Amino acid sequence: MSSSERPIVDLFIIGGGINGCGIARDAAGRGLSVTMAEMGDLAQGTSSASTKLFHGGLRYLEYFEFRLVREALEERETLLTAMPHISWPMRFVLPYSPDMRFESDTPTSRLLGLAMPWMKGRRPAWLIRLGLFLYDHLGGRKILPGTSKLDLSSDPLGRPLKPGFRTGWEYSDCWVQDSRLVVLNARDAEARGATILTRTRVTMAQRLGELWQITTEGPEGMQTYHARALVNAGGPWVEDVIRNVAHIPSTEGVRLVRGSHIVVPKLYDHDRCYFFQGTDGRIIFAIPYEQDFTLIGTTDMDHKGLPGEARCTDEERDYLCAFASQYFARPVTPDQVVWTYSGVRPLYNDGAKSATAATRDYVLSLNDQGAPLLNVFGGKITTYRRLAESALAKLAPFFPKASGNWTARVALPGGDFPVDGVEALIAQLGATYPFLSPRLARRLVRTYGTEAFRLLGDAKSLSDLGRDFGAGLTEAEVNWLVRNEYALSAQDILWRRTKLGLHMNNEQVRALDDFIAAMPAATAAAE
Protein backbone atom coordinates (compact mmCIF):
# COMPACT_ATOMS: atom_id res chain seq x y z
CA MET A 1 0.00 0.00 0.00
CA SER A 2 1.42 3.39 -0.94
CA SER A 3 1.57 6.19 1.62
CA SER A 4 -1.25 8.01 -0.20
CA GLU A 5 -3.53 4.96 0.25
CA ARG A 6 -2.61 4.40 3.89
CA PRO A 7 -5.63 5.00 6.15
CA ILE A 8 -5.64 7.78 8.73
CA VAL A 9 -4.95 6.39 12.23
CA ASP A 10 -6.21 7.72 15.53
CA LEU A 11 -2.81 7.73 17.26
CA PHE A 12 0.73 7.85 15.94
CA ILE A 13 3.23 7.16 18.73
CA ILE A 14 6.91 8.10 18.55
CA GLY A 15 9.09 5.88 20.72
CA GLY A 16 9.27 2.12 21.32
CA GLY A 17 10.26 2.13 24.98
CA ILE A 18 8.00 1.07 27.83
CA ASN A 19 5.85 4.21 27.71
CA GLY A 20 5.32 4.12 23.94
CA CYS A 21 4.53 0.39 23.88
CA GLY A 22 2.34 0.63 26.98
CA ILE A 23 0.29 3.46 25.44
CA ALA A 24 0.05 1.58 22.12
CA ARG A 25 -1.31 -1.52 23.86
CA ASP A 26 -3.78 0.43 25.98
CA ALA A 27 -5.04 2.50 23.03
CA ALA A 28 -5.41 -0.49 20.69
CA GLY A 29 -7.40 -2.32 23.36
CA ARG A 30 -9.82 0.62 23.52
CA GLY A 31 -10.58 0.27 19.81
CA LEU A 32 -8.32 3.07 18.57
CA SER A 33 -6.21 2.61 15.44
CA VAL A 34 -2.54 2.95 16.35
CA THR A 35 0.83 3.14 14.60
CA MET A 36 4.01 3.22 16.67
CA ALA A 37 7.50 3.98 15.32
CA GLU A 38 10.80 3.27 17.07
CA MET A 39 14.05 4.47 15.51
CA GLY A 40 16.03 1.44 16.75
CA ASP A 41 15.07 -1.81 18.39
CA LEU A 42 12.30 -1.95 20.96
CA ALA A 43 13.63 -1.01 24.42
CA GLN A 44 16.98 -0.09 22.91
CA GLY A 45 17.34 2.97 25.17
CA THR A 46 16.39 3.55 28.79
CA SER A 47 13.83 0.73 28.97
CA SER A 48 16.49 -2.00 28.79
CA ALA A 49 18.89 -0.22 31.17
CA SER A 50 16.86 -0.10 34.38
CA THR A 51 17.61 -1.81 37.70
CA LYS A 52 14.90 -4.32 36.63
CA LEU A 53 12.58 -3.70 39.58
CA PHE A 54 8.87 -3.18 40.04
CA HIS A 55 9.18 -1.19 43.24
CA GLY A 56 7.46 1.58 45.12
CA GLY A 57 10.64 3.58 45.52
CA LEU A 58 11.37 3.39 49.23
CA ARG A 59 13.72 6.37 49.19
CA TYR A 60 11.14 8.57 47.44
CA LEU A 61 9.31 8.73 50.77
CA GLU A 62 12.12 11.04 51.91
CA TYR A 63 10.99 13.48 49.22
CA PHE A 64 7.33 13.20 50.33
CA GLU A 65 6.42 11.68 46.92
CA PHE A 66 3.55 9.82 48.60
CA ARG A 67 1.23 9.71 45.56
CA LEU A 68 3.98 8.33 43.34
CA VAL A 69 5.01 5.72 45.93
CA ARG A 70 1.40 4.67 46.61
CA GLU A 71 0.67 4.30 42.89
CA ALA A 72 3.84 2.27 42.35
CA LEU A 73 3.13 0.04 45.36
CA GLU A 74 -0.40 -0.62 44.10
CA GLU A 75 0.95 -1.45 40.66
CA ARG A 76 3.44 -4.08 41.87
CA GLU A 77 0.73 -6.66 42.50
CA THR A 78 -1.40 -5.59 39.53
CA LEU A 79 1.59 -6.18 37.26
CA LEU A 80 2.70 -9.40 38.97
CA THR A 81 -0.70 -10.90 38.21
CA ALA A 82 -0.46 -10.01 34.51
CA MET A 83 3.08 -11.25 33.92
CA PRO A 84 4.10 -13.92 36.44
CA HIS A 85 6.64 -15.33 33.96
CA ILE A 86 8.80 -12.18 33.59
CA SER A 87 8.14 -10.67 37.03
CA TRP A 88 8.32 -12.23 40.46
CA PRO A 89 8.49 -11.24 44.14
CA MET A 90 11.86 -10.60 45.74
CA ARG A 91 12.85 -10.01 49.34
CA PHE A 92 15.27 -7.17 50.09
CA VAL A 93 17.63 -7.06 53.06
CA LEU A 94 18.30 -3.58 54.43
CA PRO A 95 21.22 -3.61 56.91
CA TYR A 96 21.39 -0.72 59.37
CA SER A 97 24.48 1.31 60.22
CA PRO A 98 24.74 4.52 62.29
CA ASP A 99 26.92 5.91 59.48
CA MET A 100 23.93 6.12 57.10
CA ARG A 101 23.18 9.64 55.93
CA PHE A 102 20.50 11.58 54.08
CA GLU A 103 21.16 13.71 51.11
CA SER A 104 21.10 17.14 52.73
CA ASP A 105 18.36 18.59 50.50
CA THR A 106 15.60 16.02 51.08
CA PRO A 107 12.48 17.38 52.81
CA THR A 108 12.79 14.69 55.50
CA SER A 109 16.42 15.61 56.18
CA ARG A 110 15.55 19.30 56.51
CA LEU A 111 12.58 18.58 58.76
CA LEU A 112 14.57 16.27 61.00
CA GLY A 113 17.37 18.83 61.19
CA LEU A 114 14.92 21.45 62.44
CA ALA A 115 13.10 19.20 64.93
CA MET A 116 16.17 17.30 66.14
CA PRO A 117 19.29 19.29 65.23
CA TRP A 118 21.53 16.67 66.86
CA MET A 119 20.26 14.18 64.23
CA LYS A 120 21.09 16.43 61.26
CA GLY A 121 22.00 14.37 58.20
CA ARG A 122 21.52 11.00 59.91
CA ARG A 123 19.05 8.25 59.08
CA PRO A 124 18.07 6.89 62.49
CA ALA A 125 16.81 3.31 62.81
CA TRP A 126 13.34 4.41 63.96
CA LEU A 127 12.92 6.54 60.84
CA ILE A 128 13.85 3.64 58.55
CA ARG A 129 11.33 1.42 60.35
CA LEU A 130 8.67 4.12 59.97
CA GLY A 131 9.43 4.30 56.24
CA LEU A 132 9.10 0.53 55.95
CA PHE A 133 5.79 0.63 57.85
CA LEU A 134 4.46 3.17 55.34
CA TYR A 135 5.86 1.06 52.50
CA ASP A 136 3.95 -1.96 53.78
CA HIS A 137 0.63 -0.14 54.12
CA LEU A 138 0.39 2.60 51.47
CA GLY A 139 -0.34 0.30 48.55
CA GLY A 140 -2.93 -2.20 49.80
CA ARG A 141 -0.50 -5.14 49.73
CA LYS A 142 -2.16 -8.58 49.44
CA ILE A 143 0.28 -10.93 47.69
CA LEU A 144 3.66 -9.75 48.96
CA PRO A 145 4.79 -10.44 52.54
CA GLY A 146 5.45 -7.51 54.87
CA THR A 147 8.59 -6.30 56.61
CA SER A 148 10.36 -8.38 59.27
CA LYS A 149 13.30 -7.50 61.52
CA LEU A 150 16.58 -9.42 61.21
CA ASP A 151 19.45 -10.12 63.57
CA LEU A 152 22.26 -10.12 61.00
CA SER A 153 24.79 -11.37 63.55
CA SER A 154 23.06 -14.76 63.60
CA ASP A 155 20.84 -14.87 60.50
CA PRO A 156 22.40 -16.55 57.42
CA LEU A 157 21.48 -13.43 55.42
CA GLY A 158 24.16 -11.60 57.39
CA ARG A 159 26.99 -13.96 56.41
CA PRO A 160 28.02 -12.18 53.18
CA LEU A 161 28.24 -8.90 55.12
CA LYS A 162 30.95 -7.43 57.30
CA PRO A 163 30.62 -8.56 60.92
CA GLY A 164 29.70 -5.07 62.21
CA PHE A 165 26.15 -5.23 60.87
CA ARG A 166 23.72 -6.52 63.48
CA THR A 167 20.30 -4.97 62.87
CA GLY A 168 18.48 -5.19 59.58
CA TRP A 169 15.05 -5.49 57.99
CA GLU A 170 13.68 -7.62 55.19
CA TYR A 171 10.93 -6.19 52.96
CA SER A 172 9.27 -6.99 49.62
CA ASP A 173 9.54 -5.63 46.10
CA CYS A 174 9.51 -7.30 42.67
CA TRP A 175 11.87 -8.16 39.84
CA VAL A 176 10.97 -7.62 36.19
CA GLN A 177 12.70 -8.40 32.91
CA ASP A 178 12.44 -4.85 31.64
CA SER A 179 13.11 -5.19 27.91
CA ARG A 180 10.90 -8.29 27.67
CA LEU A 181 8.12 -6.25 29.27
CA VAL A 182 8.43 -3.73 26.43
CA VAL A 183 8.39 -6.39 23.70
CA LEU A 184 5.37 -8.16 25.19
CA ASN A 185 3.43 -4.88 25.33
CA ALA A 186 4.30 -4.28 21.67
CA ARG A 187 3.22 -7.80 20.71
CA ASP A 188 -0.07 -7.44 22.56
CA ALA A 189 -0.66 -4.04 20.95
CA GLU A 190 -0.09 -5.60 17.52
CA ALA A 191 -2.41 -8.50 18.34
CA ARG A 192 -5.09 -5.89 19.10
CA GLY A 193 -4.60 -4.16 15.74
CA ALA A 194 -1.67 -1.76 16.22
CA THR A 195 1.10 -1.40 13.65
CA ILE A 196 4.58 -1.66 15.19
CA LEU A 197 7.45 -0.18 13.17
CA THR A 198 11.02 -0.75 14.34
CA ARG A 199 14.20 0.70 12.81
CA THR A 200 11.94 3.56 11.67
CA ARG A 201 12.91 7.12 12.50
CA VAL A 202 10.33 9.92 12.47
CA THR A 203 12.02 12.77 10.61
CA MET A 204 9.17 15.26 10.54
CA ALA A 205 5.73 15.80 12.06
CA GLN A 206 3.56 18.73 11.10
CA ARG A 207 -0.04 19.77 11.54
CA LEU A 208 -2.16 19.79 8.39
CA GLY A 209 -5.63 20.99 9.28
CA GLU A 210 -7.06 18.62 11.89
CA LEU A 211 -4.43 15.94 11.27
CA TRP A 212 -0.75 15.29 11.86
CA GLN A 213 1.35 14.40 8.83
CA ILE A 214 4.27 12.23 9.89
CA THR A 215 7.28 11.44 7.71
CA THR A 216 9.41 8.39 8.52
CA GLU A 217 12.65 6.89 7.25
CA GLY A 218 12.94 3.14 7.71
CA PRO A 219 13.35 -0.24 6.02
CA GLU A 220 10.81 0.75 3.33
CA GLY A 221 12.47 4.12 2.68
CA MET A 222 10.62 7.38 3.23
CA GLN A 223 6.96 6.98 4.16
CA THR A 224 4.11 9.33 5.07
CA TYR A 225 1.42 8.72 7.68
CA HIS A 226 -1.56 10.74 8.89
CA ALA A 227 -2.97 10.68 12.40
CA ARG A 228 -5.62 12.44 14.43
CA ALA A 229 -3.28 12.73 17.42
CA LEU A 230 0.47 12.43 18.00
CA VAL A 231 2.06 10.97 21.14
CA ASN A 232 5.67 11.86 21.82
CA ALA A 233 7.05 9.04 24.00
CA GLY A 234 10.63 9.62 22.89
CA GLY A 235 12.10 9.10 26.35
CA PRO A 236 15.47 10.87 26.51
CA TRP A 237 14.74 12.21 23.00
CA VAL A 238 11.35 13.72 23.97
CA GLU A 239 12.68 17.29 23.92
CA ASP A 240 14.41 16.71 20.56
CA VAL A 241 11.12 15.49 19.08
CA ILE A 242 9.30 18.62 20.31
CA ARG A 243 11.89 21.03 18.94
CA ASN A 244 13.42 19.34 15.91
CA VAL A 245 10.72 16.98 14.62
CA ALA A 246 7.44 18.71 15.45
CA HIS A 247 9.04 22.18 15.59
CA ILE A 248 6.80 23.24 18.47
CA PRO A 249 8.00 26.11 20.70
CA SER A 250 8.04 24.90 24.31
CA THR A 251 9.62 25.87 27.61
CA GLU A 252 9.30 22.31 28.93
CA GLY A 253 12.33 20.07 28.93
CA VAL A 254 13.98 17.02 30.41
CA ARG A 255 16.79 16.54 32.85
CA LEU A 256 18.90 13.65 31.62
CA VAL A 257 20.13 11.57 34.55
CA ARG A 258 22.50 8.67 33.91
CA GLY A 259 22.07 5.49 35.92
CA SER A 260 24.93 3.00 35.59
CA HIS A 261 25.16 -0.60 36.76
CA ILE A 262 27.88 -3.22 37.07
CA VAL A 263 27.60 -7.01 36.90
CA VAL A 264 30.04 -9.28 38.75
CA PRO A 265 30.20 -13.05 39.39
CA LYS A 266 27.67 -13.86 42.10
CA LEU A 267 28.70 -12.66 45.53
CA TYR A 268 26.49 -14.94 47.64
CA ASP A 269 24.39 -18.10 47.27
CA HIS A 270 20.92 -17.13 48.52
CA ASP A 271 18.11 -15.50 46.52
CA ARG A 272 17.71 -12.24 48.49
CA CYS A 273 18.67 -8.76 47.36
CA TYR A 274 20.47 -6.15 49.42
CA PHE A 275 19.51 -2.50 49.80
CA PHE A 276 22.59 -0.53 50.88
CA GLN A 277 22.57 3.03 52.20
CA GLY A 278 25.76 5.06 51.91
CA THR A 279 27.51 7.70 53.93
CA ASP A 280 26.81 10.12 51.05
CA GLY A 281 23.01 9.73 51.27
CA ARG A 282 22.76 7.56 48.15
CA ILE A 283 21.45 3.99 47.95
CA ILE A 284 22.34 1.03 45.77
CA PHE A 285 21.01 -2.50 45.27
CA ALA A 286 22.89 -5.80 45.00
CA ILE A 287 20.63 -8.31 43.22
CA PRO A 288 21.01 -11.96 42.12
CA TYR A 289 21.20 -11.82 38.32
CA GLU A 290 20.92 -14.38 35.52
CA GLN A 291 21.66 -17.30 37.88
CA ASP A 292 25.45 -16.82 37.92
CA PHE A 293 25.92 -13.10 38.65
CA THR A 294 25.18 -10.19 40.97
CA LEU A 295 23.87 -6.87 39.61
CA ILE A 296 24.94 -3.74 41.49
CA GLY A 297 23.49 -0.28 40.86
CA THR A 298 22.63 2.40 40.32
CA THR A 299 24.36 5.75 40.12
CA ASP A 300 22.57 9.09 39.65
CA MET A 301 24.59 11.49 37.52
CA ASP A 302 23.51 14.40 35.36
CA HIS A 303 24.18 13.34 31.76
CA LYS A 304 25.53 16.01 29.43
CA GLY A 305 26.09 14.04 26.22
CA LEU A 306 23.72 12.52 23.69
CA PRO A 307 21.31 9.96 25.22
CA GLY A 308 22.61 7.16 23.04
CA GLU A 309 26.17 7.74 24.26
CA ALA A 310 25.50 6.86 27.90
CA ARG A 311 28.23 4.60 29.25
CA CYS A 312 29.24 3.51 32.73
CA THR A 313 32.40 5.54 33.38
CA ASP A 314 35.41 4.18 35.23
CA GLU A 315 34.55 6.57 38.07
CA GLU A 316 31.00 5.18 38.33
CA ARG A 317 32.28 1.60 38.21
CA ASP A 318 34.78 2.33 40.98
CA TYR A 319 32.13 4.15 43.02
CA LEU A 320 29.76 1.17 42.87
CA CYS A 321 32.57 -1.24 43.80
CA ALA A 322 33.62 0.91 46.76
CA PHE A 323 30.00 1.40 47.89
CA ALA A 324 29.27 -2.34 47.87
CA SER A 325 32.59 -3.03 49.60
CA GLN A 326 31.45 -0.95 52.58
CA TYR A 327 28.96 -3.76 53.25
CA PHE A 328 30.25 -7.03 51.82
CA ALA A 329 32.88 -8.93 53.77
CA ARG A 330 34.65 -9.79 50.53
CA PRO A 331 35.53 -6.57 48.67
CA VAL A 332 34.07 -5.96 45.22
CA THR A 333 36.85 -4.85 42.88
CA PRO A 334 36.84 -3.39 39.34
CA ASP A 335 38.63 -6.44 37.93
CA GLN A 336 35.59 -8.58 38.87
CA VAL A 337 33.26 -6.59 36.64
CA VAL A 338 32.14 -8.68 33.64
CA TRP A 339 29.65 -6.20 32.17
CA THR A 340 28.39 -2.68 32.68
CA TYR A 341 25.38 -0.88 31.29
CA SER A 342 24.04 2.61 31.56
CA GLY A 343 20.73 4.26 30.77
CA VAL A 344 19.51 7.83 30.72
CA ARG A 345 16.37 8.67 32.66
CA PRO A 346 14.39 11.47 30.98
CA LEU A 347 13.19 13.20 34.14
CA TYR A 348 10.93 16.20 33.94
CA ASN A 349 13.10 19.25 34.56
CA ASP A 350 11.64 20.57 37.80
CA GLY A 351 14.70 22.61 38.75
CA ALA A 352 15.90 20.27 41.52
CA LYS A 353 19.39 20.94 42.85
CA SER A 354 20.72 17.43 42.27
CA ALA A 355 20.07 14.50 39.96
CA THR A 356 19.03 12.37 42.95
CA ALA A 357 16.46 14.95 44.06
CA ALA A 358 14.81 15.38 40.63
CA THR A 359 11.25 14.02 40.61
CA ARG A 360 10.69 10.48 39.31
CA ASP A 361 7.01 11.26 38.72
CA TYR A 362 5.74 11.49 35.18
CA VAL A 363 4.34 14.60 33.53
CA LEU A 364 1.92 14.47 30.57
CA SER A 365 1.76 17.72 28.65
CA LEU A 366 -1.03 18.20 26.10
CA ASN A 367 -0.62 20.71 23.28
CA ASP A 368 -4.02 21.12 21.63
CA GLN A 369 -3.35 24.14 19.45
CA GLY A 370 -4.65 22.18 16.48
CA ALA A 371 -4.39 18.41 16.16
CA PRO A 372 -3.43 17.18 19.67
CA LEU A 373 0.16 16.46 20.67
CA LEU A 374 0.80 14.63 23.95
CA ASN A 375 4.36 14.85 25.28
CA VAL A 376 5.42 12.25 27.86
CA PHE A 377 8.08 13.30 30.36
CA GLY A 378 9.69 11.00 32.91
CA GLY A 379 8.01 8.00 34.46
CA LYS A 380 9.10 4.75 36.13
CA ILE A 381 8.88 1.29 34.67
CA THR A 382 6.68 0.31 37.65
CA THR A 383 4.02 2.88 36.77
CA TYR A 384 4.06 2.49 32.98
CA ARG A 385 0.55 1.00 32.88
CA ARG A 386 -0.91 3.81 35.00
CA LEU A 387 0.95 6.34 32.85
CA ALA A 388 -0.69 4.82 29.76
CA GLU A 389 -4.12 5.09 31.38
CA SER A 390 -3.42 8.73 32.26
CA ALA A 391 -2.28 9.42 28.69
CA LEU A 392 -5.51 7.99 27.28
CA ALA A 393 -7.51 10.03 29.79
CA LYS A 394 -5.81 13.18 28.47
CA LEU A 395 -6.72 12.18 24.91
CA ALA A 396 -10.25 10.97 25.73
CA PRO A 397 -12.01 14.22 24.69
CA PHE A 398 -10.69 13.73 21.14
CA PHE A 399 -11.86 10.09 20.93
CA PRO A 400 -15.28 9.91 22.58
CA LYS A 401 -16.02 6.46 21.13
CA ALA A 402 -12.96 4.86 22.76
CA SER A 403 -13.73 2.40 25.55
CA GLY A 404 -12.51 2.78 29.13
CA ASN A 405 -9.65 1.42 31.24
CA TRP A 406 -9.04 -2.30 30.70
CA THR A 407 -5.40 -3.28 31.22
CA ALA A 408 -5.33 -3.97 34.99
CA ARG A 409 -4.39 -7.62 35.59
CA VAL A 410 -4.94 -8.57 31.92
CA ALA A 411 -2.21 -11.06 31.04
CA LEU A 412 0.58 -10.21 28.65
CA PRO A 413 1.58 -12.90 26.12
CA GLY A 414 2.73 -16.01 28.01
CA GLY A 415 1.45 -14.74 31.36
CA ASP A 416 -1.88 -16.57 31.37
CA PHE A 417 -1.25 -18.71 34.46
CA PRO A 418 -1.59 -18.15 38.24
CA VAL A 419 0.80 -15.75 39.93
CA ASP A 420 2.02 -18.61 42.14
CA GLY A 421 2.13 -21.14 39.30
CA VAL A 422 5.68 -20.75 38.01
CA GLU A 423 7.12 -23.91 39.59
CA ALA A 424 4.15 -25.96 38.37
CA LEU A 425 4.61 -24.59 34.85
CA ILE A 426 8.35 -25.41 34.91
CA ALA A 427 7.52 -28.96 36.02
CA GLN A 428 4.90 -29.26 33.27
CA LEU A 429 7.37 -28.06 30.62
CA GLY A 430 10.00 -30.51 31.89
CA ALA A 431 7.52 -33.39 31.81
CA THR A 432 6.36 -32.51 28.28
CA TYR A 433 9.93 -32.08 27.02
CA PRO A 434 12.05 -34.39 29.22
CA PHE A 435 15.18 -33.66 27.19
CA LEU A 436 15.35 -30.13 28.63
CA SER A 437 17.78 -29.57 31.47
CA PRO A 438 16.18 -28.09 34.63
CA ARG A 439 18.15 -24.89 34.05
CA LEU A 440 16.92 -24.53 30.46
CA ALA A 441 13.32 -25.37 31.38
CA ARG A 442 13.39 -22.67 34.05
CA ARG A 443 14.88 -20.10 31.69
CA LEU A 444 12.30 -20.82 28.99
CA VAL A 445 9.39 -20.44 31.41
CA ARG A 446 10.88 -17.30 32.94
CA THR A 447 11.27 -15.86 29.42
CA TYR A 448 8.21 -17.10 27.53
CA GLY A 449 5.77 -18.43 30.13
CA THR A 450 3.06 -20.57 28.55
CA GLU A 451 4.36 -19.66 25.09
CA ALA A 452 7.39 -21.88 25.73
CA PHE A 453 5.19 -24.79 24.60
CA ARG A 454 4.48 -23.04 21.28
CA LEU A 455 8.17 -22.28 20.83
CA LEU A 456 9.20 -25.92 21.39
CA GLY A 457 6.33 -27.33 19.32
CA ASP A 458 6.48 -31.07 18.71
CA ALA A 459 10.21 -31.43 19.45
CA LYS A 460 11.19 -34.83 20.84
CA SER A 461 14.88 -34.13 21.44
CA LEU A 462 17.34 -31.26 21.65
CA SER A 463 18.42 -31.98 18.08
CA ASP A 464 14.84 -31.23 16.94
CA LEU A 465 15.41 -27.64 18.13
CA GLY A 466 18.16 -27.18 15.56
CA ARG A 467 21.53 -25.57 15.94
CA ASP A 468 22.78 -24.69 19.43
CA PHE A 469 24.42 -21.26 19.36
CA GLY A 470 25.67 -21.55 22.95
CA ALA A 471 24.24 -21.00 26.45
CA GLY A 472 21.18 -23.08 25.53
CA LEU A 473 20.09 -20.74 22.71
CA THR A 474 18.73 -22.95 19.94
CA GLU A 475 17.71 -22.34 16.36
CA ALA A 476 14.06 -22.83 17.36
CA GLU A 477 14.31 -20.01 19.90
CA VAL A 478 16.08 -17.71 17.43
CA ASN A 479 13.36 -18.40 14.86
CA TRP A 480 10.70 -17.54 17.42
CA LEU A 481 12.39 -14.25 18.37
CA VAL A 482 12.85 -13.11 14.78
CA ARG A 483 9.37 -14.10 13.61
CA ASN A 484 7.39 -13.07 16.68
CA GLU A 485 9.40 -10.56 18.71
CA TYR A 486 10.89 -8.10 16.17
CA ALA A 487 14.50 -9.27 16.73
CA LEU A 488 16.85 -8.55 13.81
CA SER A 489 20.34 -8.98 15.26
CA ALA A 490 22.37 -10.90 17.81
CA GLN A 491 22.38 -7.75 19.95
CA ASP A 492 18.57 -7.72 20.01
CA ILE A 493 18.47 -11.34 21.18
CA LEU A 494 21.45 -11.51 23.54
CA TRP A 495 20.98 -8.23 25.42
CA ARG A 496 17.28 -7.36 25.16
CA ARG A 497 15.07 -10.41 24.47
CA THR A 498 17.40 -12.35 26.77
CA LYS A 499 20.63 -11.64 28.66
CA LEU A 500 22.45 -14.65 27.20
CA GLY A 501 25.23 -12.34 26.01
CA LEU A 502 26.70 -12.76 29.50
CA HIS A 503 27.29 -16.44 28.73
CA MET A 504 28.55 -16.30 25.12
CA ASN A 505 31.88 -15.48 23.47
CA ASN A 506 32.58 -13.25 20.46
CA GLU A 507 32.78 -16.17 18.03
CA GLN A 508 29.35 -17.42 19.08
CA VAL A 509 27.90 -13.90 18.74
CA ARG A 510 29.28 -13.55 15.20
CA ALA A 511 27.86 -16.95 14.23
CA LEU A 512 24.44 -15.90 15.54
CA ASP A 513 24.56 -12.59 13.64
CA ASP A 514 25.46 -14.42 10.42
CA PHE A 515 22.60 -16.87 10.91
CA ILE A 516 20.03 -14.11 11.53
CA ALA A 517 21.22 -12.09 8.54
CA ALA A 518 20.54 -15.10 6.30
CA MET A 519 17.02 -15.68 7.64
CA PRO A 520 14.21 -14.74 5.22
CA ALA A 521 12.16 -13.06 7.99
CA ALA A 522 15.09 -10.91 9.08
CA THR A 523 16.10 -10.11 5.51
CA ALA A 524 12.56 -9.01 4.62
CA ALA A 525 12.27 -6.84 7.73
CA ALA A 526 15.63 -5.19 7.13
CA GLU A 527 14.99 -4.30 3.49
Side-chain angles (χ1 to χ4, degrees), residues 10 76 90 92 105 174 178 198 223-224 230 234 267 282 288 317 339 343 375 397 401 419 460 494:
D10 293 320
R76 293 180 310 177
M90 276 188 159
F92 288 72
D105 60 351
C174 305
D178 53 6
T198 63
Q223 298 290 314
T224 303
L230 182 65
L267 300 172
R282 288 278 303 121
R317 177 202 63 198
W339 183 48
N375 295 306
K401 293 184 180 179
V419 69
K460 304 298 183 191
L494 299 180

Side-chain angles (χ1 to χ4, degrees), residues 331-387:
V332 180
T333 57
D335 62 292
Q336 293 175 275
V337 175
V338 298
W339 183 48
T340 68
Y341 68 88
S342 191
V344 177
R345 303 182 188 95
L347 306 182
Y348 186 74
N349 193 351
D350 60 357
K353 290 181 181 178
S354 70
T356 305
T359 182
R360 266 51 179 178
D361 210 347
Y362 55 82
V363 174
L364 303 175
S365 177
L366 180 66
N367 180 313
D368 57 0
Q369 304 303 304
L373 165 64
L374 184 68
N375 295 306
V376 180
F377 297 93
K380 284 160 43 71
I381 197 165
T382 313
T383 53
Y384 88 89
R385 192 196 65 82
R386 294 283 282 268
L387 182 152

Side-chain angles (χ1 to χ4, degrees), residues 81-104:
T81 305
M83 55 195 81
H85 51 327
I86 63 165
S87 180
W88 53 90
M90 276 188 159
R91 295 288 278 171
F92 288 72
V93 176
L94 195 165
Y96 175 72
S97 166
D99 294 329
M100 293 170 181
R101 292 291 184 269
F102 287 107
E103 277 216 323
S104 60

Side-chain angles (χ1 to χ4, degrees), residues 110-138:
R110 292 196 298 268
L111 185 62
L112 198 64
L114 288 172
M116 303 177 182
W118 62 91
M119 297 293 293
K120 187 174 182 180
R122 290 174 55 194
R123 272 192 185 108
W126 63 264
L127 187 66
I128 294 172
R129 187 62 190 93
L130 174 61
L132 288 167
F133 176 83
L134 290 173
Y135 207 67
D136 277 348
H137 292 90
L138 273 176

Side-chain angles (χ1 to χ4, degrees), residues 297-526:
T298 177
T299 59
D300 260 330
M301 306 280 292
D302 280 311
H303 183 73
K304 301 302 183 185
L306 296 173
E309 295 176 351
R311 300 290 183 272
C312 179
T313 65
D314 290 348
E315 290 76 16
E316 288 175 295
R317 177 202 63 198
D318 295 348
Y319 170 82
L320 291 171
C321 287
F323 198 145
S325 297
Q326 295 173 22
Y327 282 85
F328 285 121
R330 190 175 61 190
V332 180
T333 57
D335 62 292
Q336 293 175 275
V337 175
V338 298
W339 183 48
T340 68
Y341 68 88
S342 191
V344 177
R345 303 182 188 95
L347 306 182
Y348 186 74
N349 193 351
D350 60 357
K353 290 181 181 178
S354 70
T356 305
T359 182
R360 266 51 179 178
D361 210 347
Y362 55 82
V363 174
L364 303 175
S365 177
L366 180 66
N367 180 313
D368 57 0
Q369 304 303 304
L373 165 64
L374 184 68
N375 295 306
V376 180
F377 297 93
K380 284 160 43 71
I381 197 165
T382 313
T383 53
Y384 88 89
R385 192 196 65 82
R386 294 283 282 268
L387 182 152
E389 285 186 343
S390 298
L392 271 297
K394 285 266 191 183
L395 294 168
F398 306 98
F399 301 104
K401 293 184 180 179
S403 57
N405 294 347
W406 67 274
T407 56
R409 301 179 185 269
V410 174
L412 287 170
D416 52 338
F417 63 96
V419 69
D420 59 354
V422 171
E423 296 303 323
L425 191 62
I426 293 170
Q428 183 185 350
L429 191 73
T432 307
Y433 303 98
F435 55 85
L436 298 176
S437 69
R439 180 180 174 117
L440 181 54
R442 178 169 296 274
R443 182 181 73 76
L444 290 174
V445 167
R446 279 302 191 194
T447 306
Y448 305 103
T450 56
E451 290 194 317
F453 294 88
R454 287 180 57 199
L455 187 158
L456 295 170
D458 57 2
K460 304 298 183 191
S461 66
L462 275 177
S463 61
D464 289 340
L465 301 178
R467 182 174 174 181
D468 186 339
F469 293 93
L473 179 68
T474 64
E475 188 173 335
E477 187 172 358
V478 172
N479 286 336
W480 171 273
L481 292 169
V482 171
R483 290 170 182 163
N484 298 289
E485 297 198 3
Y486 318 99
L488 293 177
S489 71
Q491 191 83 0
D492 297 351
I493 289 175
L494 299 180
W495 296 109
R496 285 182 285 277
R497 308 305 183 279
T498 74
K499 292 297 184 290
L500 292 176
L502 284 166
H503 306 276
M504 295 175 70
N505 59 41
N506 290 336
E507 185 177 340
Q508 290 170 318
V509 174
R510 283 193 295 272
L512 176 59
D513 253 331
D514 291 343
F515 177 82
I516 295 171
M519 290 180 66
T523 303

